[in-house]
């Protein structure tokens, strides 16, 4: 049976622009059964709300988004992880945040809750007070002659976010890696509740600072969809400009840092300089180097002046001239090529099972980009290879495309207002998917009659990248871990919530 | 026989002279010269250990940008080190999540005296937008008294440099 058929059988809840299907317990089980044999729906996210569990699926052939929900009975809901392995981390978060147990889940260990909060299940209808004490962490074992463990973190050696990596190694070779996150959990979802989208936007902007534009945009578009508002054309164009600039500066950053982790400093220095010029232009144009809080529900917070536009165009010219140089440098050093080729290979079976988005997915041949959903893009370039090299090249190709896109947008900026007000009246829901530099950022929110947020979920693409990183390092040497990790560059804060 | 020899050696006073005691004035003068010399050679340098105590990673982007060739923080005698054991400065970002508090305190315990605590970014100053959440303690100050705060969301590399260079100057 096709999973879409099961979804069509449910009761429709009015979520814009993609309706949400409410399934009863039997239909949810039928959905799980159908998913087992029907690969057409990829799992994007799974989250909770008092009394309900929601799931978002993607059909990249259509392309379209599906939302499905089912009622929680006795604090439980049948798990999806047996048929969609990417659901496992979401199910662990479901338990930690909403107190909902996924029955039959492949992994029932805690995820975000380390035992240190003064509450358990903070987003459940009745959070339990709890005296904070660190819960011991249980790690998946690895057995064999000479296997030993290397614990790393939560504080790492570099300037990066905190997380704990537990390696099992045999000699120099990694036989298992487990990433344990949650260290930067800030309670973002609970902070969103009861606020107007305008006020809550600053939390979406800070879900993962490097994707501030992408998450702000997903949140704003979901809020607009829920309130039946549409951002004016000039705001839409400026948002697209900022989204591409964010993609460009992050791709430059990642290309440089990947080379740096292979101890190839010149490329890092060159990429860093191009990126710095871009950040300065962004500051000039939008008043903030990372363009934080510039995308707001209803539109954008400020206009682009002619001087700002000129600054962006100058920085783009620098990047356009620099990118071919970076590629020549990258390809011209055998010692660098030796480090990146066939390093951190992602097995095709796992790519199919997890359906990762963004650079990680496209560098493994998965041709999806959220801009295809809105018609902003007809198709997207991909790379074969699924190794560090493919991820570097994918970024390079996307950086060039981002420059071209910003130039087109700037050449035809429509005049007009920058914001619309979000109306309210009836309780409504909205959802949006935005292609950030890492992949698809999903925002879902439900508003009450007063236009305040009743429930919300913000999904970073890293949810699916972390488990795949664990798989990609197997069989590689420990010394290549930083390189492989950087080629994924998953967000910690984005999934820690 | 071993035993009589041992007993004799234990009871016999040593033949070595009593230890000499250096003149306190000489010691003090030498110590002063040593300190001046080390300050001259090492005083304009600070080793920084950055600790992310739950940031959104925006602050890390700008701290990393300090190392690009435009800002080049090493020319000011500032450099990032991998271990708190090598650090003079703990540069802390984030609203201090409850999940990170113990790790921050352990990093502090591993840092030799004297140490400067710098709270960088609005979050580290007082929790920023995350103030009041069940999951954060609301700024570094909840567990460590900062010597310097650098506000901003995130602070720009220039603002970070101004703060850090002030520390070098204060130290020199
Ligand atoms: S101060 Fe701003 S940029 Fe820094 S961690 Fe907090 S929210 Fe992110």
């Amino acid at each position: 049976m096709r999973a879409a058929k099961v979804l069509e059988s449910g009761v429709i809840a009015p979520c814009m622009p993609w309706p949400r299907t409410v399934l009863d317990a039997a239909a949810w089980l039928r959905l799980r059964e159908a998913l087992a044999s029907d690969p057409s729906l990829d799992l994007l996210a799974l989250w909770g709300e008092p009394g309900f569990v929601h799931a978002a699926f993607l059909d990249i052939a259509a392309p379209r988004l599906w939302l499905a929900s089912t009622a929680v009975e006795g604090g439980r809901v049948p798990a999806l992880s047996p048929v969609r392995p990417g659901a496992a981390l979401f199910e662990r978060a479901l338990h930690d945040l909403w107190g909902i147990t996924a029955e039959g889940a492949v992994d029932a260990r805690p995820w975000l809750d380390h035992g240190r909060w003064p509450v358990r299940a903070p987003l459940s209808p009745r959070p339990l007070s709890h005296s904070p004490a660190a819960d011991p962490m249980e790690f998946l074992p690895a057995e064999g002659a000479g296997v030993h463990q290397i614990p790393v973190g939560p504080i790492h050696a570099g300037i990066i976010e905190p997380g704990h990596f537990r390696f099992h190694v045999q000699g120099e070779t990694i036989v298992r890696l487990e990433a344990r996150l949650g260290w930067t959990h800030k309670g973002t979802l609970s902070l969103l509740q009861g606020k107007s989208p305008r006020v809550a936007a600053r939390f979406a902007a800070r879900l993962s600072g490097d994707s501030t534009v992408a998450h702000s945009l997903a949140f704003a578009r979901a809020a607009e969809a829920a309130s039946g508002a549409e951002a004016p054309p000039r705001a839409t164009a400026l948002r697209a400009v900022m989204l591409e600039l964010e993609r460009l500066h992050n791709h430059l950053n990642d290309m440089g840092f990947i080379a740096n982790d292979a101890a190839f400093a010149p490329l890092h220095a060159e990429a860093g300089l191009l990126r710095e010029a871009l950040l300065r232009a962004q500051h000039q144009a939008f008043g903030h180097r990372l363009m934080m809080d510039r995308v707001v529900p209803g539109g954008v917070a400020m206009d682009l002046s002619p001087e700002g536009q000129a600054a962006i165009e100058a920085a783009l010219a620098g990047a356009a001239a620099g990118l071919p140089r970076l590629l020549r440098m990258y390809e011209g050093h055998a010692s660098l090529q030796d480090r990146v080729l066939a390093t951190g290979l992602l097995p095709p079976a796992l790519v199919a099972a997890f359906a990762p988005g963004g650079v990680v997915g496209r560098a493994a041949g998965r041709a999806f980009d959220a801009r295809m959903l809105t018609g902003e893009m007809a198709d997207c370039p991909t790379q074969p290879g699924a190794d560090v090299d493919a991820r570097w090249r994918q970024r390079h190709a996307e950086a060039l495309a981002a420059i071209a896109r910003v130039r087109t947008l700037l050449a035809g900026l429509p005049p007009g207002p920058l914001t619309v007000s979000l109306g309210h009246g009836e309780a409504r829901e909205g959802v949006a998917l935005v292609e950030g530099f890492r992949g698809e950022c999903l925002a879902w929110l439900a508003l009450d009659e007063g236009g305040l947020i009743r429930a919300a979920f913000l999904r970073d693409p890293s949810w699916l990248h972390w488990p795949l990183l664990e798989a990609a390092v197997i069989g590689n040497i420990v010394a290549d871990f930083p390189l492989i990790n950087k080629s994924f560059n998953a967000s910690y804060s984005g999934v820690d919530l | 026989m071993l035993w009589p020899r041992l007993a004799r050696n234990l009871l016999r006073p040593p033949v070595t002279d009593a230890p000499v005691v250096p003149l306190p004035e000489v010691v003090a003068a030498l110590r002063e010269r040593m300190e001046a010399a080390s300050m001259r050679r090492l005083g304009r340098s600070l080793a920084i250990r950055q600790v992310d105590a739950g940031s959104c990673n925006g602050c890390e982007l700008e701290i990393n940008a300090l190392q690009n060739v435009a800002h080049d923080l090493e020319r000011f005698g500032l450099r990032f080190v991998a271990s708190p054991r090598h650090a003079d400065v703990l540069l802390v970002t984030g609203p201090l999540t409850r999940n990170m508090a113990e790790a921050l305190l352990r990093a502090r315990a591993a840092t030799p005296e004297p140490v400067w605590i710098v709270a960088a970014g609005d979050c580290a100053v007082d929790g920023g937008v995350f103030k009041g959440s069940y999951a954060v303690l609301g700024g570094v100050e909840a567990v460590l008294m900062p010597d310097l705060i650098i506000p901003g969301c995130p602070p720009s590399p220039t603002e970070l440099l101004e703060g850090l260079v002030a520390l070098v100057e204060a130290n020199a």
Side-chain angles (χ1 to χ4, degrees):
Chain A
M1 190 178 200
R2 304 252 313 154
K5 272 268 167 306
V6 183
L7 290 171
E8 277 163 2
S9 74
V11 181
I12 301 293
C15 179
M16 295 300 283
W18 308 102
R20 180 166 61 83
T21 317
V22 185
L23 301 175
D24 60 25
W28 185 264
L29 283 173
R30 277 205 307 281
L31 171 68
R32 179 164 82 177
E33 223 169 276
L35 286 170
S37 57
D38 175 5
S40 67
L41 292 194
D42 300 332
L43 179 93
L44 272 177
L46 187 71
W47 69 97
E49 163 178 12
F52 283 95
V53 161
H54 308 296
F57 297 97
L58 185 68
D59 178 349
I60 65 170
R64 66 155 295 174
L65 210 64
W66 289 94
L67 295 177
S69 309
T70 193
V72 177
E73 280 165 34
R76 295 168 177 275
V77 77
L80 294 182
S81 52
V83 294
R84 287 291 179 276
L89 291 183
F90 290 110
E91 286 170 355
R92 290 164 75 180
L94 206 55
H95 180 266
D96 289 359
L97 296 182
W98 289 277
I100 300 168
T101 304
E103 226 166 5
V106 297
D107 195 338
R109 292 171 302 155
W111 178 242
L112 301 175
D113 187 354
H114 297 182
R116 300 173 190 264
W117 309 332
V119 284
R120 293 279 195 202
L123 292 170
S124 68
R126 278 172 300 281
L128 291 176
S129 81
H130 162 73
S131 38
D135 290 336
M137 272 190 189
E138 192 193 319
F139 296 96
L140 297 174
E143 281 159 20
V147 170
H148 67 280
Q149 295 187 25
I150 309 177
V152 181
I155 300 179
H156 300 153
I159 303 166
I160 36 170
E161 300 176 76
H164 182 89
F165 295 135
R166 184 62 60 109
F167 295 92
H168 281 81
V169 298
Q170 201 164 29
E172 271 196 290
T173 309
I174 302 170
V175 295
R176 163 166 255 160
L177 163 68
E178 209 188 334
R180 291 301 286 270
L181 307 182
W183 306 89
T184 76
H185 177 76
K186 298 181 263 299
T188 301
L189 296 180
S190 79
L191 289 167
L192 293 170
Q193 286 177 346
K195 296 195 171 76
S196 71
R198 267 294 171 105
V199 174
R202 71 171 81 115
F203 298 108
R206 288 157 181 81
L207 185 73
S208 182
D210 48 16
S211 307
T212 179
V213 173
H215 281 296
S216 294
L217 182 52
F219 182 80
R221 288 208 343 223
E224 287 153 16
S227 349
E230 204 179 315
R234 186 167 178 85
T236 306
L238 288 177
R239 286 170 168 192
V241 167
M242 289 191 248
L243 187 65
E244 296 312 311
L245 290 174
E246 181 172 88
R247 191 181 326 281
L248 179 58
H249 84 73
N250 277 298
H251 281 349
L252 283 169
N253 207 37
D254 287 347
M255 283 187 274
F257 269 98
I258 290 171
N260 196 46
D261 274 336
F264 190 73
L267 206 159
H268 179 47
E270 179 94 26
L273 198 56
L274 296 174
R275 175 175 179 271
E276 180 63 30
L278 201 59
L279 295 194
R280 290 178 184 191
Q282 288 166 190
H283 184 253
Q284 233 179 311
F286 297 104
H288 192 287
R289 284 164 54 92
L290 305 176
M291 302 170 287
M292 208 174 240
D293 302 322
R294 272 30 186 188
V295 174
V296 293
V300 291
M302 64 186 299
D303 204 356
L304 179 63
S305 66
E307 302 80 65
Q309 182 165 339
I312 300 261
E313 277 160 359
L316 287 182
L323 277 164
R325 224 163 42 231
L326 291 187
L327 185 62
R328 272 199 304 279
M329 218 191 271
Y330 175 77
E331 288 179 334
H333 290 82
S335 56
L336 180 58
Q337 291 292 300
D338 181 51
R339 291 292 304 277
V340 294
L341 279 162
T343 305
L345 270 171
L346 210 45
L350 287 180
V351 177
F354 280 83
V359 167
V360 172
R362 288 189 287 275
R366 185 173 180 268
F368 179 73
D369 184 303
R371 288 171 291 176
M372 289 155 79
L373 270 183
T374 48
E376 291 162 271
M377 217 179 194
D379 54 9
C380 62
T382 60
Q383 303 280 329
D387 54 2
V388 173
D389 174 61
R391 293 187 276 275
W392 194 96
R393 288 175 186 276
Q394 183 67 28
R395 287 182 171 94
H396 191 271
E398 291 183 15
L400 285 172
I403 295 175
R405 198 161 153 65
V406 178
R407 283 176 165 167
T408 312
L409 286 161
L410 289 180
L413 274 185
L418 298 173
T419 49
V420 289
S421 61
L422 304 183
H424 55 84
E426 39 177 330
R428 302 266 295 272
E429 280 178 43
V431 66
L433 199 68
V434 165
E435 189 71 29
F437 86 98
R438 255 190 203 101
E440 328 92 340
C441 303
L442 178 136
W444 169 85
L445 54 85
L447 301 178
D448 64 17
E449 292 82 3
L452 303 181
I453 295 172
R454 186 192 78 217
F457 190 66
L458 306 172
R459 177 263 195 199
D460 191 90
S462 306
W463 281 95
L464 301 181
H465 296 165
W466 283 112
L468 289 173
L469 170 68
E470 294 175 341
V473 300
I474 293 176
N476 289 264
I477 57 171
V478 180
D480 275 344
F481 171 73
L483 186 58
I484 301 167
N485 187 26
K486 195 58 78 182
S487 78
F488 276 70
N489 187 19
S491 171
Y492 300 68
S493 182
V495 299
D496 282 351
L497 298 171
Chain B
M1 272 303 268
L2 182 66
W3 288 115
R5 224 166 75 210
L6 252 180
R8 256 198 327 274
N9 281 344
L10 277 174
L11 295 174
R12 199 171 57 195
V15 292
T16 327
D17 286 345
V20 292
V21 180
L23 293 174
E25 310 85 75
V26 176
V27 172
L30 280 173
R31 179 176 288 149
E32 226 165 80
R33 279 181 57 187
M34 176 76 128
E35 259 165 28
S38 65
M39 279 317 279
R40 207 166 46 241
R41 280 183 203 157
L42 306 169
R44 298 198 60 87
S45 125
L46 286 177
I48 307 165
R49 170 65 244 200
Q50 195 263 341
V51 180
D52 176 339
S55 94
C56 78
N57 80 29
C59 280
E60 279 58 40
L61 287 182
E62 293 298 50
I63 292 171
N64 264 316
L66 290 174
Q67 302 192 90
N68 69 30
V69 290
H71 297 110
D72 187 21
L73 91 164
E74 298 213 3
R75 71 193 146 128
F76 301 107
L78 296 158
R79 79 204 147 89
F80 289 103
V81 292
S83 169
R85 297 194 195 284
H86 307 151
D88 307 302
V89 177
L90 287 184
L91 179 63
V92 190
T93 63
L96 188 57
T97 57
R98 289 181 184 267
N99 285 353
M100 273 305 288
E102 186 191 342
L104 174 62
L105 284 176
R106 285 209 203 174
R108 168 64 189 89
T111 316
E113 297 288 345
V115 52
W116 299 97
I117 308 288
V118 181
D122 289 350
C123 282
V125 173
D126 66 354
V129 302
F130 301 102
K131 210 174 347 191
S133 158
Y134 64 87
V136 308
L137 291 170
V140 178
E141 205 181 305
V143 298
L144 289 176
M145 194 41 86
D147 297 292
L148 178 72
I149 59 173
I150 307 176
C153 184
S156 69
T158 310
E159 287 161 336
L160 287 162
L161 268 182
E162 278 165 9
L164 294 171
V165 172
L167 274 188
V168 177
E169 295 299 328
N171 233 32

